[in-house]
Amino acid sequence: VQLQASGGGSVQAGGSLRLSCAASGGTISRYSMAWFRQAPGKEREFVAAISWSSGTTRYSDSVKGRFTISRDDAKTTVYLQMNSLKPEDAAVYYCAADPARDLNVLVFRPVAIDYWGKGTQVTVSS
């Protein structure tokens, strides 16, 4: 499975963006999907995840209530709707896919995730 993230850009604080992660080379219907981000000089951090078995979602505390992850298996695409963006949300955002049903695997063991896409840059100006 190949993953390609898109939808990044520059917005002012308080604005919105919707990121997309398109999969090719296979279906994502049996993959839990996640978004991570990495800001300059910082470690990669978990943002959001959605399971393939139950559609359960998980968010980091820093984005909860502002970001929404969703999936369209028919389009083999996962989305990250980002509202009320803050300057601290600026980063390169990456999508990831793993067959694990348990989202703890994606959240706490990202090194074990099977597939990663190239990132898309999000810039938020104050």
Side-chain angles (χ1 to χ4, degrees), residues 12-51:
Q12 290 190 331
S16 298
L17 281 174
R18 188 176 81 155
L19 305 184
S20 299
C21 175
S24 60
T27 179
I28 63 168
S29 60
R30 291 186 178 270
Y31 285 89
S32 292
M33 305 295 294
W35 288 94
F36 290 77
R37 67 187 182 188
Q38 187 167 20
K42 295 187 176 181
E43 293 186 354
R44 178 181 58 192
E45 66 171 344
F46 167 78
V47 176
I50 184 166
S51 72

Side-chain angles (χ1 to χ4, degrees), residues 48-71:
I50 184 166
S51 72
W52 67 267
S53 58
S54 62
T56 300
T57 57
R58 179 88 62 87
Y59 298 93
S60 67
D61 289 342
S62 61
V63 307
K64 196 174 297 181
R66 299 187 297 121
F67 291 12
T68 303
I69 188 171
S70 61
R71 62 190 298 155

Side-chain angles (χ1 to χ4, degrees), residues 1-124:
V1 175
Q2 292 81 45
L3 304 174
Q4 180 64 57
S6 62
S10 297
V11 296
Q12 290 190 331
S16 298
L17 281 174
R18 188 176 81 155
L19 305 184
S20 299
C21 175
S24 60
T27 179
I28 63 168
S29 60
R30 291 186 178 270
Y31 285 89
S32 292
M33 305 295 294
W35 288 94
F36 290 77
R37 67 187 182 188
Q38 187 167 20
K42 295 187 176 181
E43 293 186 354
R44 178 181 58 192
E45 66 171 344
F46 167 78
V47 176
I50 184 166
S51 72
W52 67 267
S53 58
S54 62
T56 300
T57 57
R58 179 88 62 87
Y59 298 93
S60 67
D61 289 342
S62 61
V63 307
K64 196 174 297 181
R66 299 187 297 121
F67 291 12
T68 303
I69 188 171
S70 61
R71 62 190 298 155
D72 186 336
D73 289 349
K75 294 183 178 179
T76 62
T77 302
V78 175
Y79 305 97
L80 185 68
Q81 178 67 44
M82 306 187 296
N83 298 328
S84 303
L85 282 161
K86 304 175 181 180
E88 51 264 41
D89 294 318
V92 177
Y93 283 70
Y94 300 90
C95 60
D98 193 88
R101 297 183 181 185
D102 185 352
L103 293 181
N104 286 323
V105 172
L106 285 81
V107 176
F108 298 112
R109 296 186 60 208
V111 294
I113 291 176
D114 279 3
Y115 301 103
W116 290 87
K118 293 182 179 179
T120 185
Q121 177 73 53
V122 172
T123 303
V124 185

